[in-house]
């Protein structure tokens, strides 16, 4: 009961903070909003060729002053975009901004994401982006229930949160150990100097360089927030599962794999999509977590069993639909590079032979049948590595499981 009361109080305090300094205006341009850059990855990982088609419904959950929604609206003019936030002041600013830009495919509404009744009137959404919100809600289980209610049958939820490695936890601990209560951050000269020192000491490792000079309004809602869950990936996944949603991928696996060579890859073959994400997330300790959930569970191919693997029917994602034609000798090594603007390059090293197999992937023939069709023997291990990478980057569907 007491916990409930404290939760309510803290939630009220969060609302007060966001309402008095709407986000991201409170950042005074210090943080670039790069969330929309996640969309090519999302489109690929979720294998939804038709993503962001006409009439596609996108929910920006916790939209703040509407910056993300406006960027999305310009990027996907045929989609219908809805932004919600529990801060009236933020919603008002978002509406004004959209009017100024003359954008017609978006609307903004005041709604509390932990209250399902606030969402009864909305049609299901095909894509929900919830960036930088879940850490600060009093009851994240309720948040997932709302998402379950709002997500269309084939919809995708992208949630980004701060991980347990986010610098906020270290900063709060350092303050406490020096006798300053982080719950009462006043931004006195003494506290600001301490923050600047911590910023310098944590340096690049923090993922948030320049935090020492951030505006107080931002520090209040991020570093010294009354609610800041900072759970790990598996805790978020558990909550999603309880609400009936399924984990389909994280940037941890994608970014981690870019550092793994083909020779090292077999050590990871036993890890399925979920296991690889959890493993990378715990190991690489990035400050943020970007996760995707859907309404349907995905099946895991067995990469340890080459014979079984080659019985699957692979289908390349639309963004790889047109691969370069094979030129020169089959023995010649080629490099296929998949680039997504604004994100680190996803590099798939594929030999010409692998490339030809991939090029013929159509979802109907098995890998073995395609190999037979080409009529040349190739290096099965390098082909397995190429398939593994593409599968984990979300660019390959392996049907017939
Ligand atoms: C850190 S800001 C992120 C804003 C935006 N997603 C972005 O990245 O620019 C968090 C936003 O979530 C909103 N928020 C927090 N708890 C909420 C809740 N329970 N219901 C609706 N909005 C909430 C806040 O008002 C704030 O605008």
């Amino acid at each position: 009961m007491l916990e409930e009361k404290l939760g309510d109080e803290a939630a009220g305090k969060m609302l007060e903070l966001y309402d008095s300094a709407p986000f991201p205006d409170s950042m005074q341009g210090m943080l670039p909003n790069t969330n929309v850059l996640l969309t090519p990855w999302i489109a690929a990982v979720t294998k939804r060729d038709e993503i962001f088609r006409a009439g596609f419904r996108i929910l920006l959950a916790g939209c703040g002053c509407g910056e993300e929604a406006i960027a999305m609206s310009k990027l996907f003019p045929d989609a219908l975009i809805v932004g919600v936030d529990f801060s009236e002041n933020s919603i008002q600013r978002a509406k004004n901004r959209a009017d100024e830009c003359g954008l017609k495919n978006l609307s903004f509404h005041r709604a509390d994401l932990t209250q399902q009744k606030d969402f009864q009137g909305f049609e299901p959404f095909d894509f929900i982006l919830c960036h930088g919100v879940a850490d600060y809600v009093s009851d994240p289980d309720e948040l997932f229930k709302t998402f379950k209610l709002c997500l269309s049958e084939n919809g995708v939820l992208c949630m980004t949160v701060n991980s347990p490695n986010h610098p906020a936890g270290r900063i709060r601990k350092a303050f406490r150990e020096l006798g300053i209560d982080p719950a009462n951050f006043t931004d006195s000269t003494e506290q600001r100097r301490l923050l600047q020192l911590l910023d310098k000491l944590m340096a690049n490792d923090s993922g948030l360089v320049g935090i020492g000079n951030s505006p107080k309004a931002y520090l209040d809602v991020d570093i010294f927030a009354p609610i800041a869950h900072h759970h790990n990936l598996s805790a978020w996944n558990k909550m999603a599962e309880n609400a009936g949603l399924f984990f389909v991928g994280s940037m941890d696996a994608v970014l981690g794999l870019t550092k793994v060579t083909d020779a090292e890859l077999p050590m990871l073959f036993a890890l399925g999509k979920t296991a690889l994400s959890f493993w990378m997330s715990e190991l690489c300790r990035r400050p943020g977590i970007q996760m995707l959930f859907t309404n349907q569970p995905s099946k895991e191919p067995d990469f340890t069993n080459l014979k079984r693997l080659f019985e699957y029917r692979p289908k390349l994602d639309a963004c790889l639909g047109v691969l370069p034609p094979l030129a020169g000798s089959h023995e010649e090594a080629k490099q296929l590079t998949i680039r997504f603007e604004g994100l680190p390059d996803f590099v798939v090293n594929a030999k010409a032979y692998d490339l030809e197999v991939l090029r013929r992937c159509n979802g109907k023939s098995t890998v073995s049948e395609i190999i037979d069709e080409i009529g040349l023997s190739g290096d099965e291990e390098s082909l397995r590595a190429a398939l593994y990478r593409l599968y984990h980057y979300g660019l390959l569907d392996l049907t017939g499981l």
Side-chain angles (χ1 to χ4, degrees):
M1 183 63 199
L2 181 64
E3 246 186 331
E4 229 171 70
K5 222 171 165 335
L6 280 175
D8 284 351
E9 239 174 61
K13 180 82 183 130
M14 287 301 304
L15 174 56
E16 215 180 287
L17 288 168
Y18 278 123
D19 223 24
S20 59
F23 195 93
D25 288 7
S26 55
M27 281 302 293
Q28 296 162 12
M30 279 197 69
L31 275 185
N33 197 331
T34 53
N35 305 325
V36 285
L37 296 177
L38 284 174
T39 51
W41 168 67
I42 294 159
V45 173
T46 55
K47 297 185 284 290
R48 277 148 178 86
D49 303 359
E50 80 287 14
I51 204 158
F52 309 127
R53 66 181 189 277
F56 198 88
R57 293 176 51 79
I58 301 176
L59 174 67
L60 276 310
C63 63
C65 304
E67 208 166 275
E68 288 168 325
I70 287 169
M72 285 278 210
S73 149
K74 290 179 182 164
L75 212 54
F76 309 111
D78 296 330
L80 296 168
I81 291 145
V82 175
V84 299
D85 203 288
F86 70 170
S87 151
E88 185 65 57
N89 196 1
S90 302
I91 289 297
Q92 201 45 58
R93 286 188 192 210
K95 282 181 177 168
N96 294 346
R97 208 160 284 175
D99 285 348
E100 279 163 25
C101 300
L103 297 165
K104 300 280 176 247
N105 63 336
L106 79 169
S107 62
F108 293 99
H109 309 265
R110 185 178 183 276
D112 185 336
L113 288 159
T114 62
Q115 303 287 324
Q116 287 91 50
K117 64 175 169 36
D118 288 0
F119 291 82
Q120 303 290 359
F122 291 109
E123 298 270 307
F125 291 95
D126 302 298
F127 180 60
I128 302 178
L129 179 61
C130 182
H131 171 82
V133 181
D135 276 312
Y136 315 111
V137 302
S138 53
D139 190 345
D141 282 310
E142 293 301 320
L143 182 72
F144 278 109
K145 282 186 205 160
T146 302
F147 291 150
K148 176 71 187 173
L149 177 79
C150 290
L151 204 60
S152 69
E153 197 188 334
N154 292 314
V156 180
L157 161 67
C158 174
M159 205 160 107
T160 80
V161 291
N162 293 338
S163 80
N165 310 303
H166 188 271
R170 273 182 278 167
I171 292 173
R172 282 201 295 266
K173 189 160 178 278
F175 263 61
R176 227 176 277 119
E177 284 169 357
L178 291 174
I180 304 172
D181 180 2
N184 291 318
F185 177 68
T186 59
D187 203 14
S188 61
T189 309
E190 177 202 12
Q191 291 186 357
R192 180 58 72 164
R193 284 188 58 217
L194 176 55
L195 193 63
Q196 285 163 345
L197 172 65
L198 301 182
D199 187 13
K200 190 168 70 175
L201 292 174
M202 291 189 300
N204 291 334
D205 179 39
S206 82
L208 269 185
V209 180
I211 194 97
N213 295 319
S214 299
K216 177 176 185 294
Y218 166 72
L219 297 169
D220 282 344
V221 291
D222 200 8
I223 306 299
F224 303 108
I227 303 175
H229 299 299
H230 296 200
H231 294 310
N232 65 15
L233 186 51
S234 88
W236 288 113
N237 182 45
K238 195 122 250 79
M239 285 185 259
E241 267 181 16
N242 288 342
L245 294 169
F246 299 92
F247 179 82
V248 283
S250 78
M251 276 305 266
D252 289 298
V254 173
L255 295 178
L257 274 186
T258 61
K259 298 182 197 150
V260 182
T261 65
D262 280 4
E264 293 159 340
L265 217 49
M267 290 189 271
L268 306 184
F269 281 163
L271 300 175
K273 215 173 229 178
T274 310
L276 184 73
S277 274
F278 290 8
W279 191 81
M280 288 286 192
S281 175
E282 290 298 313
L283 198 72
C284 302
R285 304 177 74 80
R286 296 168 57 240
I289 310 177
Q290 296 89 8
M291 323 165 255
L292 297 183
F293 299 96
T294 58
N295 261 320
Q296 287 130 22
S298 45
K299 289 183 184 162
E300 301 270 16
D302 182 1
F303 278 90
T304 62
N305 184 340
L306 192 68
K307 192 168 176 302
R308 176 79 189 98
L309 180 69
F310 282 10
E311 282 163 13
Y312 298 137
R313 295 174 162 73
K315 184 169 177 285
L316 285 179
D317 183 76
C319 83
L320 273 189
V322 186
L323 286 172
L326 185 61
S329 154
H330 282 229
E331 304 310 316
E332 182 193 331
K334 292 245 169 213
Q335 196 179 72
L336 166 63
T337 305
I338 305 156
R339 283 178 204 283
F340 288 155
E341 199 190 327
L343 288 174
D345 287 351
F346 297 165
V347 180
V348 177
N349 293 308
K351 291 189 171 165
Y353 174 79
D354 304 336
L355 193 57
E356 190 55 17
V357 173
L358 297 174
R359 223 162 62 82
R360 297 185 192 206
C361 287
N362 55 15
K364 293 186 194 102
S365 320
T366 64
V367 181
S368 302
E369 283 164 357
I370 298 170
I371 290 172
D372 288 347
E373 208 181 281
I374 295 171
L376 283 170
S377 60
D379 171 0
E380 293 185 333
E381 282 310 321
S382 83
L383 180 57
R384 169 157 48 180
L387 291 172
Y388 186 83
R389 282 185 194 281
L390 289 173
Y391 172 73
H392 282 278
Y393 290 164
L395 302 169
L396 179 78
D397 201 359
L398 282 163
T399 54
L401 293 177

